Amino acid sequence: MLSGKHILLIIGGGIAAYKSLDLIRRLRERGAKVTPVLTRAGEEFVTPLSVSALTGVKVFRDLFDLGDEAEMGHIQLSRAADLLVVAPATADLMAKMAQGSANDLASTLLLATDTPVLLAPAMNVRMWQHPATQRNIATLRGDGIAMVGPNDGDMACGEFGPGRMAEPLEIVSAVEAHLADGPLKGKRIVVTSGPTHEPIDPVRYIANRSSGAQGTAIARALAAMGAEVVFVTGPAEVPPPEGVKVVLIQTAQEMMEAVEAALPADAGVFAAAVADWHVEGTSDRKLKKSKDGLPTLSFAENPDILKTISQRTEGRPALVVGFAAETNDVLAHATAKRARKGCDWIVANDVSPGTGIMGGTENTVTLITDDGAEDWPRMGKDAVAARLAKRIAAALA
Ligand code: CTP
């Protein structure tokens, strides 16, 4: 249910705008108040009259409409809502958002707001796949903008592929998930995830087999419970979750800096498989084969992010959770690791090749806290994440 919730709906200029009329009905059926904004291009697809008839209120259309400014400035308009929904979010509108451009009412509202934003992109498949659009999407995701869709399918332009706007009910579900008042509302949590890449030269690097699946699932579970999540990730195989602030890094040093920059936080969950060493004196030229024999790499230690944050005297998150990926004597190694690093909890798991855990979809973990070690049964990584998120919510309550 969305009763008492206020949605500012920006309707962009795309053929999918007709679905936004149905979206308005679905949102209102669930008790939401919908304030509509129609872009100039949007007016080519749906009329202001149909939008205002369905919302029951006046449609906002122009930044320079002085009547509107006198009644409600654009700043208040963007901030009075619980959520801004852009449907359809066109390639152009997303490009403007990624650039921070504000040359019409819709882009100005999106720049002026401090309210969460949900986009329902809709565009031609080639436009969606274009590197410029993909760059903008990465930027917007990094800014914590959530997206629903687009879906694959036949498009109005006759092509097939990703680009179709999500269906109204899918958008409604995303709105409901976003506005859910979870137990972690108001809590800020930093999550590290994925491997790090430590360069040898401009074309080679040292990495590990972490897919980022467990860290991603944890970030998603925390966000679903209402937390504000800063997700600091190395080059992972799985895409980052929606609705979290994503910080992309390559090296352990960059991850350390991104985590420090994300503080203060109520909790830190350090699920990344951070490389312990980096190559010293990396070359800015590709290493070449030589008659003089094999190259020798020398290593230097990376910062230990979990340990550094756990042992902070000022600004330490109230709860610091580390992971221990071990291949033998899991409990003994993990217990020693918890003491050595100074974190509150350790989530230990056995990642020896036979377990299929590294890169797989399931995990078998032992949670080590002050109260001892708790074995959890083997379950999907999403289920591990949900259970851990619940424990974190209880600990921060
Ligand atoms: N970790 C970290 N920074 C590092 C290394 C590890 O933050 N430079 C964190 C990981 O994210 C994880 C925990 O420390 O939460 C344990 O990582 P692991 O690689 O198992 O531990 P190591 O410190 O590398 O210990 P060891 O080499 O003895 O296994």
Side-chain angles (χ1 to χ4, degrees):
M1 285 303 280
L2 292 168
S3 53
K5 300 294 182 191
H6 181 183
I7 311 291
L8 185 79
L9 174 65
I10 297 174
I11 303 175
I15 185 66
Y18 78 91
K19 292 196 208 171
S20 303
L21 299 179
D22 190 32
L23 174 63
I24 294 170
R25 295 191 56 204
R26 304 288 171 203
L27 290 168
R28 291 198 69 203
E29 265 164 23
R30 286 161 178 76
K33 173 181 166 199
V34 180
T35 301
V37 173
L38 192 54
T39 66
R40 276 271 153 74
E43 283 185 34
E44 301 290 332
F45 296 90
V46 291
T47 68
L49 184 62
S50 44
V51 174
S52 67
L54 286 165
T55 53
V57 294
K58 170 181 174 171
V59 185
F60 290 88
R61 293 153 70 189
D62 198 334
L63 185 57
F64 300 105
D65 181 338
L66 289 178
D68 292 349
E69 278 301 301
E71 285 165 32
M72 187 195 271
H74 59 269
I75 305 282
Q76 287 99 306
L77 182 59
S78 72
R79 295 191 189 160
D82 296 298
L83 183 68
L84 266 65
V85 176
V86 188
T90 59
D92 179 57
L93 208 42
M94 288 166 64
K96 280 184 184 164
M97 287 177 75
Q99 291 287 321
S101 145
N103 60 356
D104 59 12
L105 178 59
S107 52
T108 303
L109 291 172
L110 287 159
L111 192 62
T113 196
D114 53 5
T115 303
V117 178
L118 173 70
L119 305 183
M123 66 196 73
N124 166 274
V125 55
R126 300 265 176 274
M127 291 170 80
W128 173 257
Q129 287 167 341
H130 196 284
T133 304
Q134 291 300 317
R135 267 198 309 278
N136 292 336
I137 291 164
T139 303
L140 293 170
R141 287 211 163 112
D143 291 344
I145 305 283
M147 287 185 209
V148 51
N151 297 339
D152 273 12
D154 286 321
M155 310 198 52
C157 53
E159 291 184 51
F160 183 90
R164 256 166 76 119
M165 188 169 90
E167 296 305 317
L169 286 178
E170 284 176 72
I171 302 175
V172 168
S173 301
V175 168
E176 285 174 333
H178 225 83
L179 294 176
D181 283 335
L184 285 169
K185 201 172 176 78
K187 303 290 182 197
R188 183 176 162 90
I189 304 183
V190 183
V191 178
T192 68
S193 183
T196 61
H197 283 185
E198 307 295 334
I200 296 171
D201 65 17
V203 296
R204 303 180 179 95
Y205 57 82
I206 293 171
N208 60 65
R209 294 187 195 281
S210 166
S211 65
Q214 187 63 79
T216 301
I218 291 167
R220 186 179 293 117
L222 293 168
M225 292 177 83
E228 177 195 353
V229 176
V230 183
F231 184 65
V232 183
T233 178
E237 278 169 33
V238 297
E242 300 294 344
V244 306
K245 182 171 166 53
V246 181
V247 185
L248 300 173
I249 56 85
Q250 297 278 331
T251 66
Q253 181 60 38
E254 288 167 3
M255 185 173 270
M256 179 81 246
E257 287 162 19
V259 168
E260 299 265 11
L263 296 179
D266 298 287
V269 180
F270 296 92
V274 186
D276 290 319
W277 314 284
H278 65 268
V279 177
E280 241 180 350
T282 49
S283 164
D284 55 5
R285 293 194 179 175
K286 187 180 165 199
L287 295 179
K288 304 296 282 180
K289 283 200 283 287
S290 129
K291 283 194 263 358
D292 308 332
L294 299 171
T296 306
L297 299 180
S298 65
F299 291 93
E301 207 161 319
N302 275 332
D304 189 323
I305 303 161
L306 175 64
K307 189 170 174 183
T308 309
I309 301 301
S310 297
Q311 297 185 0
R312 261 177 166 234
T313 44
E314 263 176 54
R316 180 192 191 275
L319 179 68
V320 179
V321 183
F323 278 68
E326 309 289 348
T327 52
N328 57 292
D329 303 315
V330 178
L331 194 58
H333 281 312
T335 305
K337 201 167 275 183
R338 175 169 173 260
R340 195 168 67 238
K341 305 243 187 184
C343 55
D344 303 297
W345 299 353
I346 281 266
V347 181
N349 60 3
D350 182 347
V351 292
S352 24
T355 64
I357 283 174
M358 205 106 175
T361 56
E362 294 192 326
N363 208 350
T364 314
V365 309
T366 302
L367 179 68
I368 303 171
T369 69
D370 267 346
D371 299 332
E374 217 181 274
D375 289 325
W376 293 3
R378 189 174 177 107
M379 56 181 115
K381 287 183 177 173
D382 286 344
V384 170
R387 190 158 166 175
L388 186 65
K390 253 193 208 161
R391 291 293 290 265
I392 291 172
L396 294 181

